[in-house]
Amino acid sequence: MIDSLTRQRIIDLIHQEVVPAIGCTEPMAVALCTAKATEMLGERPESITAELSANILKNAMGVGIPGTGMIGLPIAIALGALIGKSEYKLEVLRDLTPEALEEGKQYISENRIHIARKQHIQEKLYIEVTVSAGNRQKTAVIAGGHTQFIEPDAAGKFILPSQAGDASESNEQSLPLNFRLVWDFATTAPLDEIRFIEEARQYNMNAAREALKGNYGHNLGKTIERPMSKGIFGNSIFCHIISRTASACDARMGGAMIPVMSNSGSGNQGICATNPVCVYAKENENTEEELIRGLMLSHLTAIYIKQSLGRLSALCGCVVASIGSSVGITYLMGGDYERACRSVKNMIANLTGMICDGAKPSCSLKITSGVSTAVLSALLSMEGKCVSSAEGIVDDCVDASIRNLTSIGADGMGITDEMVLDIMTKKGC
């Protein structure tokens, strides 16, 4: 049995990592940083300079900004300065109005915004926004986490998480998890202590429903539900799982003004860790307790994997979140710890290496691939089938298998990240 102090630390960690967000978290984090700098300035900026890490640039270039019908960073930055409130965190633009949108477009047309890659910086999640008016200027910095502001020291220098050593480690890093602890917590913690995870279902399943009311992104979720697609997929649990998950992603990446519950700084990861588990639980007629524990398994597994992978990497986040949903579905199928371990290994044997080429509407395609593999991996594990340690990067130990995955994503694919950004910024014949 896990002691109450450890349980509380895990609960605090989950509250830190599973939070509501409107729109893609990278441009929203840039808007948040802009809002903070503007609040420090105390007046409307005459000019704004945003210096961003490569991963922030990659994830913010092609994604829709909620309620605007526009993509990319300029409108997010403009609105962050004009109507953003830093107290709203990743819902920083929730006060958007049509009038504010027009004002934002005008602000962009006046060439007041300058965006550049921050050079010579190791932080993968780094945002530096400087706003100026007259001869006054203020700078705000976010680093290490999408809402983690860095304060300057007495000399005005910003000390980044990677430079500060152990003293500045986040709660995420100060509570090292392992898969056994994840399983035991989710399956044995008092229900009232973990019931809050149901909020993720309310947010993310609502996003799937709202997506059907419009045409967002590539309409993948709606396409899967159409008569022609049903002739291919059937009217099955599998079809419903991938449709409801893809729909929520369509809406989020397409710029719908719909909040979702994120995981580890990613709304898509939150959707991918939530919707497959919810759909399976409903159609399999699992109990409310089983759903809550399945959701907790899914989200906490994703948090655990991200501890060693990092918030942003060359590895697509749907790989991480789909591993979580596979574990949650395995539990809902009646699986035990050993079967959950098999599901994790089956996932790692299949999806490792899927690149992240930025946040964009086609993320729904990658999420569908991940969720499809999650269901397949759970089914195989329930049949006693598991990729063995004689095959590829899978190890006998589930935690070692996860470390192999994250080592490839965090370290081995570093040059891939640079190449992807280079391709994205130099496209054209």
Side-chain angles (χ1 to χ4, degrees):
M1 189 71 176
I2 301 173
D3 65 85
S4 59
L5 178 60
T6 301
R7 289 204 313 273
Q8 188 57 53
R9 292 179 69 198
I10 295 173
I11 289 168
D12 291 343
L13 173 60
I14 297 163
H15 279 303
Q16 173 184 310
E17 300 298 338
V18 181
V19 297
I22 295 178
C24 178
T25 46
E26 277 71 50
M28 288 306 102
V30 177
L32 172 63
C33 197
T34 305
K36 182 71 170 180
T38 302
E39 289 165 2
M40 293 162 59
L41 186 68
E43 60 182 301
R44 174 174 168 161
E46 294 174 1
S47 66
I48 304 172
T49 298
E51 293 186 277
L52 314 171
S53 61
N55 289 80
I56 292 291
L57 277 172
K58 181 181 72 174
N59 279 355
M61 289 172 59
V63 69
I65 306 303
T68 68
M70 302 172 68
I71 64 170
L73 284 166
I75 190 62
I77 291 171
L79 293 175
L82 297 174
I83 55 100
K85 290 185 174 62
S86 64
E87 65 192 78
Y88 292 168
K89 297 187 177 179
L90 292 179
E91 296 180 281
V92 58
L93 302 184
R94 73 185 188 198
D95 289 342
L96 178 63
T97 63
E99 294 75 22
L101 177 57
E102 291 306 311
E103 191 176 357
K105 291 177 180 178
Q106 178 65 30
Y107 195 91
I108 293 170
S109 71
E110 294 167 354
N111 295 318
R112 298 177 180 273
I113 299 171
H114 309 280
I115 301 168
R117 178 177 175 179
K118 182 72 174 181
Q119 300 296 326
H120 311 300
I121 190 166
Q122 297 300 313
E123 296 285 337
K124 292 189 175 182
L125 198 167
Y126 181 87
I127 302 164
E128 179 181 316
V129 175
T130 300
V131 297
S132 61
N135 60 358
R136 298 176 60 247
Q137 70 176 34
K138 293 292 181 179
T139 298
V141 171
I142 287 176
H146 289 81
T147 62
Q148 184 175 316
F149 285 98
I150 306 300
E151 298 296 331
D153 61 14
K157 183 179 179 181
F158 292 94
I159 305 299
L160 304 181
S162 60
Q163 301 169 333
D166 293 342
S168 71
E169 285 187 347
S170 68
N171 189 29
E172 175 181 301
Q173 295 300 323
S174 63
L175 178 62
L177 299 171
N178 59 65
F179 192 60
R180 181 83 237 190
L181 180 59
V182 168
W183 177 270
D184 288 347
F185 172 81
T187 57
T188 67
L191 197 61
D192 285 345
E193 292 185 9
I194 61 173
R195 192 180 296 277
F196 65 87
I197 201 66
E198 279 192 300
E199 262 196 301
R201 174 182 65 172
Q202 295 163 12
Y203 273 90
N204 295 348
M205 291 300 291
N206 181 63
R209 288 187 292 270
E210 289 296 316
L212 300 178
K213 299 176 182 178
N215 291 308
Y216 298 105
H218 297 292
N219 278 330
L220 181 58
K222 291 175 76 172
T223 298
I224 294 168
E225 290 284 356
R226 286 174 179 155
M228 182 180 71
S229 301
K230 288 190 182 298
I232 298 170
F233 293 106
N235 190 21
S236 63
I237 297 177
F238 176 73
C239 170
H240 299 159
I241 285 174
I242 59 176
S243 171
R244 304 295 189 275
T245 309
S247 290
C249 179
D250 285 334
R252 179 174 177 267
M253 294 288 96
M257 200 69 172
I258 301 171
V260 301
M261 190 68 80
S262 65
N263 182 297
S264 304
S266 167
N268 280 350
Q269 285 173 197
I271 290 166
C272 200
T274 302
N275 292 22
V277 176
C278 292
V279 174
Y280 185 87
K282 180 179 179 181
E283 302 211 13
N284 194 50
E285 298 183 353
N286 286 99
T287 65
E288 180 188 26
E289 178 175 350
E290 288 168 339
L291 169 61
I292 291 170
R293 296 193 185 282
L295 280 173
M296 185 57 70
L297 270 171
S298 183
H299 278 274
L300 192 55
T301 297
I303 292 169
Y304 164 42
I305 297 172
K306 292 291 281 189
Q307 282 188 333
S308 54
L309 178 63
R311 289 183 177 274
L312 299 177
S313 75
L315 183 70
C316 178
C318 86
V319 175
V320 175
S322 295
I323 292 173
S325 61
S326 188
V327 171
I329 290 170
T330 301
Y331 169 79
L332 295 174
M333 288 177 171
D336 57 9
Y337 174 72
E338 291 303 323
R339 288 181 173 85
C341 290
R342 292 174 193 157
S343 293
V344 172
K345 294 177 186 179
N346 290 340
M347 291 291 293
I348 291 171
N350 191 331
L351 287 183
T352 298
M354 183 185 288
I355 65 166
C356 170
D357 54 345
K360 59 211 175 301
S362 61
C363 284
S364 60
L365 290 164
K366 295 190 177 187
I367 278 182
T368 298
S369 296
V371 172
S372 300
T373 304
V375 176
L376 177 60
S377 296
L379 284 170
L380 282 174
S381 73
M382 293 301 293
E383 291 291 322
K385 304 296 183 183
C386 180
V387 176
S388 73
S389 59
E391 304 172 69
I393 66 168
V394 171
D395 195 287
D396 286 327
C397 170
V398 66
D399 295 294
S401 296
I402 289 171
R403 287 193 297 273
N404 293 341
L405 167 73
T406 58
S407 293
I408 290 171
D411 303 319
M413 295 174 69
I415 193 169
T416 302
D417 229 9
E418 291 291 332
M419 184 173 291
V420 166
L421 183 62
D422 187 61
I423 291 170
M424 290 173 66
T425 55
K426 295 180 179 177
K427 283 188 286 188
C429 295

